Amino acid sequence: MKTKQYNIFVSGLAYDAGKSGIADYTNNVVRELSKNHKVSILLLPEDVKIFPIKNANISFVIAPAYLRKAFKSMFWHLFFLPFRIMKSDYDCIFLPAGNRRLLSFYPKPTVVTFHDLSQFHINNKYDDFRMFYIKKVIPFFLKKAPIVMAISKNTIKDMNIHYKMNPAQIVLNYNGYDKNRFFSGQDPTDVRNEYGLKKDYFLYIARIEHPGKNHINLIKAYSSLPEDIKNKYDLVFAGSDWNGAEQVHSFAKQSNVTENIKFLGFVPDADIPKLYCGASLYVFPSFYEGFGIPLVEAMASLVPVVCSDTSSLPEIGGEAVVTFDPSDPTNIALTIQRVVSDNYLRSDMITKGLDEIKKYSWKKHAETIIDLFNNYEK
């Protein structure tokens, strides 16, 4: 039986100029949904220009420019957008960033994706106003949402602890990865030349954000590695500067390994797959992740992964990853040293990684969303 073609409204008002995990999530889900359904996505004018997915099923709703201001965007999204949607001919609503933007009421069948509650785990991540919004406003309106999805069991657990939401009422729907972009065997030579990567390297792809992404502890760990390892491998960071980035750059410059640390800044999507394929090890020291898509992308690229033993990372990496305590640079260093010094272990991690990534598919993720709309009962 042929599935109904839906006319889906998607909010993109947490798009972060295309440079965040939520932006990447939005891109991938809209791409999959638009293969069989009409998608109208709300974006700021400048984000329409850079939105990478364009086809006959996608149309753009231009948000007023004044919504660049976070407070205005939150307020408008809550109290004005629902009335606009109510008067429209959309069949349903998809909110890809439920931890950032919600509606005060839901005039159409709605699926909300909730990514994480990192703010409860990382001190001083946001200012007092935003923490009030996250702790009081978000849970009040989230509990009104018809269907709430979470991208990991860890996120469901946090929603239960911090928002007192019943886990049985939250749908688990793992993220995916782009199989057409992330695979082994891609020649990294041109990317190495482009970014001046003359040595083998350990890779970490994340926005430069302190303290959440934990670059400084990774630098401390790297600096304590044996000289032969540091001589062979550089430490490569790919990601835009974010809150606290100046502290990370300052620490790196003052360290005794500053020449070995490469800050690439924002790396275009076209270069990232080859950047993975050129890496000898992917290191993921983040204090908290709702899912951790780079972990899956690295495994798909046949790169062994070491990561934090916190939040969702052990869940997503499964048996393929070796974990460490992200608050302990010595433990991080010992874990890196253990993996790079053991050929059998690395080979085993790569093999297990190929099994783990079978769980993660954007096609499957989007199909789950459509199934939720199909089975929706008002």
Side-chain angles (χ1 to χ4, degrees), residues 261-285:
I261 302 174
K262 311 299 180 185
F263 288 94
L264 307 187
F266 176 73
V267 175
D269 285 346
D271 291 345
I272 290 178
K274 292 182 180 179
L275 195 62
Y276 278 119
C277 286
S280 299
L281 182 69
Y282 190 82
V283 189
F284 206 157

PDB file of all heavy atoms in Angstrom, residues 261-285:
ATOM      1  N   ILE A 261      49.856  21.144  16.973  1.00  0.00           N
ATOM      2  CA  ILE A 261      48.396  21.295  17.003  1.00  0.00           C
ATOM      3  C   ILE A 261      47.952  22.125  15.807  1.00  0.00           C
ATOM      4  O   ILE A 261      48.431  23.246  15.590  1.00  0.00           O
ATOM      5  CB  ILE A 261      47.941  21.964  18.310  1.00  0.00           C
ATOM      6  CG1 ILE A 261      48.401  21.147  19.515  1.00  0.00           C
ATOM      7  CG2 ILE A 261      46.425  22.112  18.326  1.00  0.00           C
ATOM      8  CD1 ILE A 261      48.133  21.802  20.849  1.00  0.00           C
ATOM      9  N   LYS A 262      47.046  21.580  15.037  1.00  0.00           N
ATOM     10  CA  LYS A 262      46.557  22.244  13.833  1.00  0.00           C
ATOM     11  C   LYS A 262      45.073  22.587  13.995  1.00  0.00           C
ATOM     12  O   LYS A 262      44.229  21.699  14.142  1.00  0.00           O
ATOM     13  CB  LYS A 262      46.728  21.336  12.608  1.00  0.00           C
ATOM     14  CG  LYS A 262      48.117  20.708  12.466  1.00  0.00           C
ATOM     15  CD  LYS A 262      49.213  21.747  12.309  1.00  0.00           C
ATOM     16  CE  LYS A 262      50.577  21.082  12.175  1.00  0.00           C
ATOM     17  NZ  LYS A 262      51.675  22.075  12.130  1.00  0.00           N
ATOM     18  N   PHE A 263      44.766  23.876  13.992  1.00  0.00           N
ATOM     19  CA  PHE A 263      43.383  24.343  14.011  1.00  0.00           C
ATOM     20  C   PHE A 263      42.971  24.645  12.571  1.00  0.00           C
ATOM     21  O   PHE A 263      43.473  25.591  11.964  1.00  0.00           O
ATOM     22  CB  PHE A 263      43.243  25.602  14.862  1.00  0.00           C
ATOM     23  CG  PHE A 263      43.355  25.372  16.347  1.00  0.00           C
ATOM     24  CD1 PHE A 263      44.571  25.511  16.999  1.00  0.00           C
ATOM     25  CD2 PHE A 263      42.239  25.019  17.093  1.00  0.00           C
ATOM     26  CE1 PHE A 263      44.680  25.308  18.369  1.00  0.00           C
ATOM     27  CE2 PHE A 263      42.330  24.808  18.461  1.00  0.00           C
ATOM     28  CZ  PHE A 263      43.556  24.950  19.102  1.00  0.00           C
ATOM     29  N   LEU A 264      42.057  23.859  12.031  1.00  0.00           N
ATOM     30  CA  LEU A 264      41.664  24.029  10.637  1.00  0.00           C
ATOM     31  C   LEU A 264      40.507  24.994  10.456  1.00  0.00           C
ATOM     32  O   LEU A 264      40.226  25.420   9.339  1.00  0.00           O
ATOM     33  CB  LEU A 264      41.284  22.672  10.026  1.00  0.00           C
ATOM     34  CG  LEU A 264      42.298  21.531  10.160  1.00  0.00           C
ATOM     35  CD1 LEU A 264      41.831  20.328   9.346  1.00  0.00           C
ATOM     36  CD2 LEU A 264      43.688  21.966   9.752  1.00  0.00           C
ATOM     37  N   GLY A 265      39.825  25.345  11.566  1.00  0.00           N
ATOM     38  CA  GLY A 265      38.633  26.163  11.455  1.00  0.00           C
ATOM     39  C   GLY A 265      37.491  25.365  10.850  1.00  0.00           C
ATOM     40  O   GLY A 265      37.512  24.137  10.830  1.00  0.00           O
ATOM     41  N   PHE A 266      36.478  26.079  10.344  1.00  0.00           N
ATOM     42  CA  PHE A 266      35.344  25.401   9.723  1.00  0.00           C
ATOM     43  C   PHE A 266      35.806  24.715   8.438  1.00  0.00           C
ATOM     44  O   PHE A 266      36.412  25.335   7.571  1.00  0.00           O
ATOM     45  CB  PHE A 266      34.227  26.394   9.406  1.00  0.00           C
ATOM     46  CG  PHE A 266      33.071  25.783   8.667  1.00  0.00           C
ATOM     47  CD1 PHE A 266      32.185  24.947   9.322  1.00  0.00           C
ATOM     48  CD2 PHE A 266      32.881  26.031   7.317  1.00  0.00           C
ATOM     49  CE1 PHE A 266      31.117  24.367   8.646  1.00  0.00           C
ATOM     50  CE2 PHE A 266      31.821  25.464   6.636  1.00  0.00           C
ATOM     51  CZ  PHE A 266      30.935  24.630   7.303  1.00  0.00           C
ATOM     52  N   VAL A 267      35.526  23.436   8.341  1.00  0.00           N
ATOM     53  CA  VAL A 267      35.919  22.653   7.168  1.00  0.00           C
ATOM     54  C   VAL A 267      34.677  22.372   6.325  1.00  0.00           C
ATOM     55  O   VAL A 267      33.685  21.848   6.834  1.00  0.00           O
ATOM     56  CB  VAL A 267      36.589  21.324   7.593  1.00  0.00           C
ATOM     57  CG1 VAL A 267      36.884  20.457   6.368  1.00  0.00           C
ATOM     58  CG2 VAL A 267      37.868  21.601   8.375  1.00  0.00           C
ATOM     59  N   PRO A 268      34.690  22.724   5.044  1.00  0.00           N
ATOM     60  CA  PRO A 268      33.527  22.467   4.184  1.00  0.00           C
ATOM     61  C   PRO A 268      33.174  20.989   4.151  1.00  0.00           C
ATOM     62  O   PRO A 268      34.038  20.114   4.260  1.00  0.00           O
ATOM     63  CB  PRO A 268      33.992  22.948   2.805  1.00  0.00           C
ATOM     64  CG  PRO A 268      35.101  23.908   3.077  1.00  0.00           C
ATOM     65  CD  PRO A 268      35.777  23.418   4.325  1.00  0.00           C
ATOM     66  N   ASP A 269      31.887  20.729   3.971  1.00  0.00           N
ATOM     67  CA  ASP A 269      31.410  19.349   3.964  1.00  0.00           C
ATOM     68  C   ASP A 269      32.164  18.473   2.966  1.00  0.00           C
ATOM     69  O   ASP A 269      32.400  17.288   3.227  1.00  0.00           O
ATOM     70  CB  ASP A 269      29.915  19.319   3.629  1.00  0.00           C
ATOM     71  CG  ASP A 269      29.052  19.768   4.794  1.00  0.00           C
ATOM     72  OD1 ASP A 269      29.574  19.855   5.926  1.00  0.00           O
ATOM     73  OD2 ASP A 269      27.853  20.035   4.570  1.00  0.00           O
ATOM     74  N   ALA A 270      32.541  19.044   1.835  1.00  0.00           N
ATOM     75  CA  ALA A 270      33.201  18.255   0.788  1.00  0.00           C
ATOM     76  C   ALA A 270      34.546  17.707   1.246  1.00  0.00           C
ATOM     77  O   ALA A 270      35.006  16.675   0.739  1.00  0.00           O
ATOM     78  CB  ALA A 270      33.382  19.110  -0.468  1.00  0.00           C
ATOM     79  N   ASP A 271      35.184  18.373   2.195  1.00  0.00           N
ATOM     80  CA  ASP A 271      36.527  17.967   2.636  1.00  0.00           C
ATOM     81  C   ASP A 271      36.507  16.982   3.806  1.00  0.00           C
ATOM     82  O   ASP A 271      37.493  16.287   4.051  1.00  0.00           O
ATOM     83  CB  ASP A 271      37.342  19.192   3.059  1.00  0.00           C
ATOM     84  CG  ASP A 271      37.701  20.090   1.885  1.00  0.00           C
ATOM     85  OD1 ASP A 271      37.573  19.634   0.735  1.00  0.00           O
ATOM     86  OD2 ASP A 271      38.106  21.245   2.123  1.00  0.00           O
ATOM     87  N   ILE A 272      35.408  16.939   4.533  1.00  0.00           N
ATOM     88  CA  ILE A 272      35.389  16.175   5.789  1.00  0.00           C
ATOM     89  C   ILE A 272      35.594  14.676   5.587  1.00  0.00           C
ATOM     90  O   ILE A 272      36.366  14.047   6.327  1.00  0.00           O
ATOM     91  CB  ILE A 272      34.106  16.478   6.581  1.00  0.00           C
ATOM     92  CG1 ILE A 272      34.163  17.914   7.122  1.00  0.00           C
ATOM     93  CG2 ILE A 272      33.931  15.499   7.731  1.00  0.00           C
ATOM     94  CD1 ILE A 272      32.931  18.355   7.877  1.00  0.00           C
ATOM     95  N   PRO A 273      34.939  14.033   4.607  1.00  0.00           N
ATOM     96  CA  PRO A 273      35.164  12.590   4.450  1.00  0.00           C
ATOM     97  C   PRO A 273      36.627  12.227   4.237  1.00  0.00           C
ATOM     98  O   PRO A 273      37.129  11.249   4.808  1.00  0.00           O
ATOM     99  CB  PRO A 273      34.307  12.236   3.229  1.00  0.00           C
ATOM    100  CG  PRO A 273      33.220  13.261   3.223  1.00  0.00           C
ATOM    101  CD  PRO A 273      33.893  14.517   3.680  1.00  0.00           C
ATOM    102  N   LYS A 274      37.333  12.999   3.435  1.00  0.00           N
ATOM    103  CA  LYS A 274      38.756  12.719   3.192  1.00  0.00           C
ATOM    104  C   LYS A 274      39.599  13.024   4.423  1.00  0.00           C
ATOM    105  O   LYS A 274      40.623  12.383   4.657  1.00  0.00           O
ATOM    106  CB  LYS A 274      39.248  13.516   1.994  1.00  0.00           C
ATOM    107  CG  LYS A 274      38.639  13.075   0.672  1.00  0.00           C
ATOM    108  CD  LYS A 274      39.183  13.869  -0.501  1.00  0.00           C
ATOM    109  CE  LYS A 274      38.569  13.408  -1.822  1.00  0.00           C
ATOM    110  NZ  LYS A 274      39.081  14.184  -2.968  1.00  0.00           N
ATOM    111  N   LEU A 275      39.151  13.999   5.209  1.00  0.00           N
ATOM    112  CA  LEU A 275      39.852  14.312   6.452  1.00  0.00           C
ATOM    113  C   LEU A 275      39.781  13.120   7.399  1.00  0.00           C
ATOM    114  O   LEU A 275      40.778  12.770   8.055  1.00  0.00           O
ATOM    115  CB  LEU A 275      39.237  15.555   7.088  1.00  0.00           C
ATOM    116  CG  LEU A 275      40.028  16.261   8.195  1.00  0.00           C
ATOM    117  CD1 LEU A 275      41.354  16.777   7.668  1.00  0.00           C
ATOM    118  CD2 LEU A 275      39.210  17.397   8.786  1.00  0.00           C
ATOM    119  N   TYR A 276      38.616  12.486   7.468  1.00  0.00           N
ATOM    120  CA  TYR A 276      38.498  11.252   8.261  1.00  0.00           C
ATOM    121  C   TYR A 276      39.441  10.173   7.713  1.00  0.00           C
ATOM    122  O   TYR A 276      40.172   9.530   8.472  1.00  0.00           O
ATOM    123  CB  TYR A 276      37.068  10.704   8.205  1.00  0.00           C
ATOM    124  CG  TYR A 276      36.072  11.334   9.140  1.00  0.00           C
ATOM    125  CD1 TYR A 276      34.954  11.990   8.647  1.00  0.00           C
ATOM    126  CD2 TYR A 276      36.216  11.238  10.513  1.00  0.00           C
ATOM    127  CE1 TYR A 276      34.001  12.546   9.499  1.00  0.00           C
ATOM    128  CE2 TYR A 276      35.273  11.793  11.381  1.00  0.00           C
ATOM    129  CZ  TYR A 276      34.175  12.448  10.860  1.00  0.00           C
ATOM    130  OH  TYR A 276      33.244  12.994  11.706  1.00  0.00           O
ATOM    131  N   CYS A 277      39.384   9.955   6.412  1.00  0.00           N
ATOM    132  CA  CYS A 277      40.149   8.852   5.813  1.00  0.00           C
ATOM    133  C   CYS A 277      41.658   9.029   5.995  1.00  0.00           C
ATOM    134  O   CYS A 277      42.402   8.046   5.973  1.00  0.00           O
ATOM    135  CB  CYS A 277      39.805   8.726   4.332  1.00  0.00           C
ATOM    136  SG  CYS A 277      38.173   7.990   4.021  1.00  0.00           S
ATOM    137  N   GLY A 278      42.105  10.259   6.183  1.00  0.00           N
ATOM    138  CA  GLY A 278      43.523  10.495   6.403  1.00  0.00           C
ATOM    139  C   GLY A 278      43.954  10.339   7.841  1.00  0.00           C
ATOM    140  O   GLY A 278      45.155  10.335   8.143  1.00  0.00           O
ATOM    141  N   ALA A 279      42.981  10.209   8.765  1.00  0.00           N
ATOM    142  CA  ALA A 279      43.296  10.162  10.196  1.00  0.00           C
ATOM    143  C   ALA A 279      43.737   8.766  10.625  1.00  0.00           C
ATOM    144  O   ALA A 279      43.237   7.751  10.134  1.00  0.00           O
ATOM    145  CB  ALA A 279      42.080  10.593  11.017  1.00  0.00           C
ATOM    146  N   SER A 280      44.659   8.730  11.569  1.00  0.00           N
ATOM    147  CA  SER A 280      45.098   7.462  12.147  1.00  0.00           C
ATOM    148  C   SER A 280      44.238   7.062  13.340  1.00  0.00           C
ATOM    149  O   SER A 280      44.136   5.876  13.666  1.00  0.00           O
ATOM    150  CB  SER A 280      46.556   7.577  12.593  1.00  0.00           C
ATOM    151  OG  SER A 280      47.395   7.867  11.496  1.00  0.00           O
ATOM    152  N   LEU A 281      43.632   8.064  13.983  1.00  0.00           N
ATOM    153  CA  LEU A 281      42.809   7.818  15.169  1.00  0.00           C
ATOM    154  C   LEU A 281      41.832   8.978  15.316  1.00  0.00           C
ATOM    155  O   LEU A 281      42.199  10.133  15.106  1.00  0.00           O
ATOM    156  CB  LEU A 281      43.695   7.725  16.424  1.00  0.00           C
ATOM    157  CG  LEU A 281      43.004   7.426  17.760  1.00  0.00           C
ATOM    158  CD1 LEU A 281      42.480   5.988  17.775  1.00  0.00           C
ATOM    159  CD2 LEU A 281      43.976   7.625  18.922  1.00  0.00           C
ATOM    160  N   TYR A 282      40.590   8.651  15.650  1.00  0.00           N
ATOM    161  CA  TYR A 282      39.622   9.700  15.973  1.00  0.00           C
ATOM    162  C   TYR A 282      39.468   9.755  17.481  1.00  0.00           C
ATOM    163  O   TYR A 282      39.171   8.735  18.123  1.00  0.00           O
ATOM    164  CB  TYR A 282      38.257   9.447  15.315  1.00  0.00           C
ATOM    165  CG  TYR A 282      37.352  10.648  15.452  1.00  0.00           C
ATOM    166  CD1 TYR A 282      37.470  11.713  14.576  1.00  0.00           C
ATOM    167  CD2 TYR A 282      36.434  10.739  16.486  1.00  0.00           C
ATOM    168  CE1 TYR A 282      36.682  12.849  14.715  1.00  0.00           C
ATOM    169  CE2 TYR A 282      35.639  11.865  16.631  1.00  0.00           C
ATOM    170  CZ  TYR A 282      35.767  12.917  15.750  1.00  0.00           C
ATOM    171  OH  TYR A 282      35.002  14.040  15.902  1.00  0.00           O
ATOM    172  N   VAL A 283      39.671  10.947  18.045  1.00  0.00           N
ATOM    173  CA  VAL A 283      39.594  11.140  19.494  1.00  0.00           C
ATOM    174  C   VAL A 283      38.388  12.030  19.788  1.00  0.00           C
ATOM    175  O   VAL A 283      38.279  13.133  19.254  1.00  0.00           O
ATOM    176  CB  VAL A 283      40.871  11.771  20.060  1.00  0.00           C
ATOM    177  CG1 VAL A 283      40.834  11.748  21.587  1.00  0.00           C
ATOM    178  CG2 VAL A 283      42.107  11.037  19.554  1.00  0.00           C
ATOM    179  N   PHE A 284      37.490  11.554  20.658  1.00  0.00           N
ATOM    180  CA  PHE A 284      36.229  12.255  20.937  1.00  0.00           C
ATOM    181  C   PHE A 284      36.131  12.482  22.453  1.00  0.00           C
ATOM    182  O   PHE A 284      35.496  11.714  23.177  1.00  0.00           O
ATOM    183  CB  PHE A 284      35.069  11.386  20.458  1.00  0.00           C
ATOM    184  CG  PHE A 284      33.816  12.135  20.087  1.00  0.00           C
ATOM    185  CD1 PHE A 284      32.900  11.562  19.227  1.00  0.00           C
ATOM    186  CD2 PHE A 284      33.541  13.394  20.600  1.00  0.00           C
ATOM    187  CE1 PHE A 284      31.724  12.226  18.880  1.00  0.00           C
ATOM    188  CE2 PHE A 284      32.387  14.073  20.259  1.00  0.00           C
ATOM    189  CZ  PHE A 284      31.475  13.480  19.384  1.00  0.00           C
ATOM    190  N   PRO A 285      36.736  13.585  22.969  1.00  0.00           N
ATOM    191  CA  PRO A 285      36.818  13.794  24.418  1.00  0.00           C
ATOM    192  C   PRO A 285      35.683  14.620  25.009  1.00  0.00           C
ATOM    193  O   PRO A 285      35.750  15.017  26.176  1.00  0.00           O
ATOM    194  CB  PRO A 285      38.134  14.557  24.551  1.00  0.00           C
ATOM    195  CG  PRO A 285      38.156  15.425  23.323  1.00  0.00           C
ATOM    196  CD  PRO A 285      37.529  14.590  22.226  1.00  0.00           C
TER     197      PRO A 285
END
